[in-house]
Amino acid sequence: MSKEKSNDHGTGHIIQSLIVNVLIASSKGVAAFMTGSGSMLAETIHSFADCANQGLLLVGVKQSKRPADKKHPLGYGRSVYFWSFMVAMLLFSIGGMFSIYEGLHKFSHPEPVENIEWAIGILVFSLALEGYATYSNIVELNERRGNTGFVEYIRNTKDSDLIVIFGENSAAVFGLILAITALLAAYYTGDGRYDALGSLAIGVVLIAVAIFLSVEVKSLLIGESADSVINDLVEKEAEKSPEILELINCITIQQGPGEVLMCIKIKCKPDLTAIQISQMINKFENDIRSKAPEVKWIYIEPDLQEWK
């Protein structure tokens, strides 16, 4: 079972990445102006888009913590999934498509890059910052995943904002390596088309990451089941209860990071009174919540026959 910090869904990793990207975007903008490089301009737009994306994620996390009300009786937990999906779309449209457009334009009208020292220095500086941010993401992912495999955790985790930040930072590191390679190739060969190819490659990377993130977040947005560990827990607790003959059905829905809705149908002993059934259900709920506090809503229906 992973050690996902479902009940301590903070924003530290988002704020850290936002600060890093503001510094990087500003420095890249200076380098793009000084060199006239398409790759540098693509990287500048990418970093400024990342800043906007992280701002949207902060909005999503804040909205997801709003208390439930009459209009939204199960709370606003899925807000973070909506804004995470929007970030993936922006990464695709602003970051990826603009980089490809810039690459195609520069390839058709190649220009020599100038003052490469500025660009390389700033790119190395940016790579160090992005590398540190990505490393911090990996450390937090490792803490949350526990014994779960890294790739498996990324595919199954319900903390969409953490995965979006990791995807952005990883794409940024790869994009910076591509930009450095393209600039050096364009400078030493005197062929500006290498710089254009770098911009195209960066766009492809961003679009690939955006598609991956959008697919993962879409599943959460439309209603994904909770971690299978929770279903296993319910089965074990049902087996322990002498009043429960069979767990007929258990449906879970992830309502947001650290928020699970659970609907259960159980087959009870036929000789139980209404009071005994109520006491059994209360104990069953308490046993589940004590071991899985992320389960915030539990609806249990007792029955004497199989569910069809």
Side-chain angles (χ1 to χ4, degrees):
M1 182 174 180
S2 66
K3 299 177 182 178
E4 192 160 339
K5 299 178 182 178
S6 300
N7 298 317
D8 185 21
H9 193 67
T11 58
H13 57 287
I14 303 177
I15 295 173
Q16 179 192 60
S17 294
L18 176 59
I19 293 172
V20 167
N21 276 297
V22 168
L23 293 173
I24 290 174
S26 301
S27 60
K28 285 179 181 176
V30 173
F33 176 78
M34 295 295 295
T35 62
S37 166
S39 294
M40 283 303 305
L41 182 58
E43 278 295 308
T44 302
I45 298 298
H46 172 202
S47 293
F48 274 117
D50 282 350
C51 293
N53 290 343
Q54 281 133 27
L56 293 179
L57 288 178
L58 288 173
V59 171
V61 172
K62 182 178 180 180
Q63 288 185 352
S64 69
K65 294 180 178 180
R66 293 171 60 185
D69 52 35
K70 290 184 179 180
K71 192 172 184 180
H72 296 88
L74 298 180
Y76 293 80
R78 291 198 196 182
S79 295
V80 70
Y81 298 152
F82 168 78
W83 289 111
S84 295
F85 187 79
M86 291 299 296
V87 165
M89 292 297 95
L90 289 173
L91 188 65
F92 175 89
S93 59
I94 297 179
M97 296 304 292
F98 180 83
S99 297
I100 288 180
Y101 166 79
E102 183 65 18
L104 292 173
H105 174 73
K106 289 288 186 180
F107 194 85
S108 301
H109 304 86
E111 298 176 3
V113 295
E114 302 174 349
N115 300 315
I116 193 173
E117 297 83 4
W118 277 87
I120 296 299
I122 289 175
L123 285 173
V124 171
F125 168 73
S126 301
L127 184 60
L129 289 179
E130 289 284 11
Y132 171 75
T134 304
Y135 172 76
S136 298
N137 294 151
I138 293 174
V139 169
E140 184 160 3
L141 286 167
N142 285 335
E143 289 179 354
R144 296 193 184 199
R145 70 185 178 88
N147 296 324
T148 306
F150 189 83
V151 175
E152 181 184 356
Y153 178 78
I154 289 177
R155 294 298 305 270
N156 296 324
T157 182
K158 313 306 178 184
D159 281 348
S160 63
D161 57 305
L162 180 60
I163 299 305
V164 168
I165 290 294
F166 173 69
E168 282 186 348
N169 289 339
S170 300
V173 168
F174 196 34
L176 286 166
I177 294 173
L178 290 172
I180 292 172
T181 303
L183 275 176
L184 289 173
Y187 179 75
Y188 285 108
T189 63
D191 189 347
R193 288 179 297 180
Y194 284 103
D195 180 52
L197 290 174
S199 182
L200 283 170
I202 291 169
V204 170
V205 169
L206 294 178
I207 289 175
V209 172
I211 291 174
F212 170 77
L213 293 176
S214 61
V215 169
E216 293 300 313
V217 176
K218 175 194 171 186
S219 180
L220 292 167
L221 186 60
I222 64 178
E224 185 176 292
S225 62
D227 196 313
S228 60
V229 175
I230 294 179
N231 290 74
D232 295 339
L233 171 64
V234 173
E235 291 180 3
K236 291 179 181 178
E237 293 300 323
E239 292 174 356
K240 292 179 183 178
S241 177
E243 294 88 358
I244 300 177
L245 297 179
E246 182 183 354
L247 176 64
I248 299 174
N249 194 29
C250 177
I251 297 175
T252 61
I253 297 292
Q254 193 75 35
Q255 285 296 115
E259 297 183 4
V260 173
L261 166 67
M262 179 180 291
C263 299
I264 300 173
K265 191 177 184 71
I266 54 176
K267 183 177 181 181
C268 305
K269 285 186 174 181
D271 56 346
L272 295 179
T273 66
I275 293 178
Q276 289 174 324
I277 291 176
S278 297
Q279 291 174 340
M280 178 269 294
I281 288 177
N282 289 336
K283 183 180 183 303
F284 192 36
E285 289 181 353
N286 291 333
D287 290 341
I288 293 173
R289 285 197 173 99
S290 65
K291 297 178 180 178
E294 61 268 34
V295 180
K296 293 196 171 183
W297 302 275
I298 304 179
Y299 298 96
I300 301 177
E301 180 184 355
D303 207 337
L304 298 176
Q305 59 186 357
E306 295 290 341
W307 176 75
K308 297 180 181 181

